[in-house]
Amino acid sequence: MISLRSIGRMTQQMAGLLKRQQQPPPSSLAMTWQAYGALARAQGFDRLYLLLSFDCDRHEDAEVVEMVDGWLVERGIPRTYAVPGVMLTEAAEIYRKLASKGARFINHGGRAHVEFRDGRYWSCTFYDRFSEAEVAQDIAAGHEAVIAVTGQIPTGFRAPHFGLLDNSQREYIYNTLRAMGYRFSSSSLPELGLAKGPLVDVGGLVELPCSGSWVAPHIILDSWSHVRSPVDPVVTAAYGNIMMETCAELFKHRQVGVLNWYADPSHVAQGDVFRRCLDAIGDHGIKAIGFEDLLVMGGRV
């Protein structure tokens, strides 16, 4: 008789086999990353950098962000946070303290990006469903919240749920940011970076595309996509394995460019998965930088 444990193990093995069959061959992955590296070299980059930021969309993020911030300080990693205005105001004392210790904040809009119901968080505040006036109002509200809470004048922006935006909606956001004197946005999927490089000029503004992983360069690598479940939003070991594999493979191939990754503090605070990733990044000699550092290096300042 076949035990339930044996059936489960065979199911896992079959799932792993199917996943490996669906992945592009190593040679194809290497070519994709090499093409990106050529674009990065043309923009003046001569090594691989990590650009790490954190979206603090939930109340639980404020509860653990100081601990996560401490991990970054210990490892000399610049700290950048994207916090919706209502969340900044709600936990003003915590975020003000981080700002006083050197953390940087970018505008993440004014309204909350998630709402809690039926035992879990659900996404809300979709710019693709907003009128242009509503988008402009939300960006302005986020701008004012960053100033009021941290004392910093934000020059960078990340749109909520930016993967849903079409080109015309994205262009309206850019127009709004230009009028407000912003220098950069980081509101695009890896596809843009693979096509145009780490920095993309969008008419007086710079777009800094987010990054994927070694095995899935076209798919954004974020913490939410690798949590145990929506009701238990803590990253799995697979998230750490993907990050560490990406760093190891890119280091092995002497990759040039920028890994622009973001995570939510509450997703990565439990266990040691994320800390091991941070250590692995350092072990591979991948230098961590901030958004402003990237603009300087790319000659956009």
Side-chain angles (χ1 to χ4, degrees), residues 103-114:
R104 302 296 300 175
F105 288 79
I106 63 174
N107 184 349
H108 201 26
R111 304 188 194 187
H113 297 174
V114 295

Side-chain angles (χ1 to χ4, degrees), residues 50-71:
L50 171 70
L51 177 55
L52 187 62
S53 58
F54 293 84
D55 282 10
C56 302
D57 293 340
R58 306 193 309 150
H59 306 291
E60 290 82 352
D61 291 315
E63 297 172 2
V64 299
V65 69
E66 289 183 276
M67 178 177 67
V68 174
D69 193 77
W71 299 346

Side-chain angles (χ1 to χ4, degrees), residues 10-51:
M10 286 188 292
T11 301
Q12 291 176 345
Q13 291 172 347
M14 181 61 69
L17 176 60
L18 290 173
K19 184 177 181 181
R20 286 192 294 274
Q21 289 175 339
Q22 293 169 355
Q23 291 176 356
S27 59
S28 175
L29 292 171
M31 290 176 62
T32 296
W33 282 105
Q34 286 169 5
Y36 166 77
L39 295 170
R41 289 185 187 279
Q43 292 183 354
F45 295 94
D46 60 0
R47 62 180 293 179
L48 184 63
Y49 294 91
L50 171 70
L51 177 55

Side-chain angles (χ1 to χ4, degrees), residues 96-269:
R96 187 175 293 120
K97 184 187 301 184
L98 294 183
S100 71
K101 294 181 179 180
R104 302 296 300 175
F105 288 79
I106 63 174
N107 184 349
H108 201 26
R111 304 188 194 187
H113 297 174
V114 295
E115 58 185 11
F116 191 82
R117 52 185 167 83
D118 301 327
R120 55 161 289 189
Y121 281 98
W122 298 83
S123 297
C124 60
T125 307
F126 298 98
Y127 278 10
D128 62 309
R129 304 175 188 174
F130 279 18
S131 68
E132 291 184 348
E134 288 175 317
V135 170
Q137 290 168 1
D138 195 64
I139 293 174
H143 181 87
E144 294 303 322
V146 173
I147 295 174
V149 173
T150 71
Q152 299 174 9
I153 299 176
T155 58
F157 177 75
R158 175 174 293 141
H161 317 303
F162 56 80
L164 300 174
L165 298 171
D166 64 28
N167 290 337
S168 63
Q169 292 161 345
R170 201 177 301 276
E171 185 57 35
Y172 180 76
I173 291 172
Y174 290 157
N175 287 336
T176 303
L177 297 177
R178 291 186 196 105
M180 296 174 67
Y182 274 59
R183 297 168 63 185
F184 70 91
S185 165
S186 186
S187 306
S188 58
L189 299 174
E191 193 72 38
L192 181 64
L194 293 173
K196 296 190 175 182
L199 301 99
V200 182
D201 291 311
V202 287
L205 195 73
V206 181
E207 176 65 37
L208 307 176
C210 295
S211 302
S213 63
W214 168 256
V215 296
H218 298 270
I219 300 174
I220 195 167
L221 177 60
D222 64 347
S223 58
W224 171 249
S225 301
H226 296 86
V227 297
R228 296 170 185 164
S229 74
V231 297
D232 186 18
V234 175
V235 292
T236 64
Y239 173 70
N241 293 337
I242 293 170
M243 287 185 71
M244 289 188 284
E245 177 192 32
T246 299
C247 293
E249 288 293 336
L250 296 183
F251 179 78
K252 181 176 72 177
H253 289 83
R254 299 182 180 180
Q255 181 66 42
V256 168
V258 180
L259 289 174
N260 183 1
W261 286 337
Y262 68 87
D264 291 27
S266 59
H267 296 166
V268 301

Side-chain angles (χ1 to χ4, degrees), residues 68-86:
V68 174
D69 193 77
W71 299 346
L72 304 176
V73 171
E74 290 172 359
R75 293 162 175 81
I77 298 175
R79 301 111 68 214
T80 302
Y81 298 98
V83 192
V86 294

